[in-house]
């Protein structure tokens, strides 16, 4: 059973930084995509970033490109999202997800529909 646990959220002022972590267990896919998405109440999910477990290729939503960095430590089964220059518009619940690479069409994308997701971690950026 796949289990994803996010951590690292919090409250920061505009311009601040946070680093989110997502610890994964039970992932049996040989090749997979992992990523982050966010969602605020009353709105649909918004893809943020993705990384390919095979070649490490990353993709980012235009709204976060240049400010956020996704990375993974395969030895620790942990996915990260380093967020800099945070803006109030970044306030949201952040979730990590995992998807079978075959189901992604052979290309991991930040807007993918994830097979599994965690419970989320809240990020609040004050103006």
């Amino acid at each position: 059973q796949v289990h994803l646990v996010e951590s690292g959220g919090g409250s920061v002022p505009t311009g601040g930084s946070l680093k989110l972590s997502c610890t994964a267990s039970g992932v049996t896919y040989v090749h997979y995509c992992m990523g982050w998405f966010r969602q605020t109440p009353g709105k649909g999910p918004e893809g943020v970033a993705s990384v390919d477990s095979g070649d490490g290729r990353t993709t980012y939503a235009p709204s976060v490109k240049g400010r956020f960095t996704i990375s993974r430590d395969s030895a620790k089964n942990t996915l990260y999202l380093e967020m800099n220059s945070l803006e109030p518009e970044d306030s949201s619940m952040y979730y990590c997800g995992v998807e079978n690479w075959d189901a992604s069409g052979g290309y991991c994308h930040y807007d993918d529909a994830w097979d599994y997701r965690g419970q989320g971690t809240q990020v609040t950026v004050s103006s």
Side-chain angles (χ1 to χ4, degrees):
Q1 183 177 356
V2 176
H3 196 46
L4 304 172
V5 180
E6 302 94 337
S7 61
S11 297
V12 295
T14 297
S17 299
L18 283 171
K19 187 173 183 177
L20 307 183
S21 300
C22 169
T23 302
S25 61
V27 178
T28 59
Y29 301 140
V30 174
H31 188 180
Y32 52 91
C33 309
M34 288 197 79
W36 293 92
F37 67 97
R38 61 192 183 188
Q39 187 167 14
T40 55
K43 294 185 178 182
E46 177 189 7
V48 174
S50 72
V51 61
D52 188 312
S53 73
D55 61 13
R57 181 168 52 184
T58 58
T59 71
Y60 295 92
S63 60
V64 306
K65 195 169 186 178
R67 300 189 297 123
F68 291 10
T69 302
I70 188 171
S71 62
R72 61 186 288 264
D73 185 331
S74 57
K76 295 182 178 180
N77 293 321
T78 301
L79 180 73
Y80 302 99
L81 184 69
E82 186 167 1
M83 306 184 295
N84 298 312
S85 303
L86 282 163
E87 304 166 351
E89 293 73 24
D90 296 316
S91 296
S92 188
M93 186 72 82
Y94 283 72
Y95 302 87
C96 66
V98 63
E99 177 192 27
N100 190 341
W101 184 83
D102 290 336
S104 74
Y107 181 73
C108 299
H109 190 267
Y110 65 83
D111 219 15
D112 279 351
W114 308 103
D115 296 336
Y116 301 95
R117 72 177 215 185
Q119 294 297 309
T121 186
Q122 179 68 40
V123 171
T124 303
V125 185
S126 57
S127 57

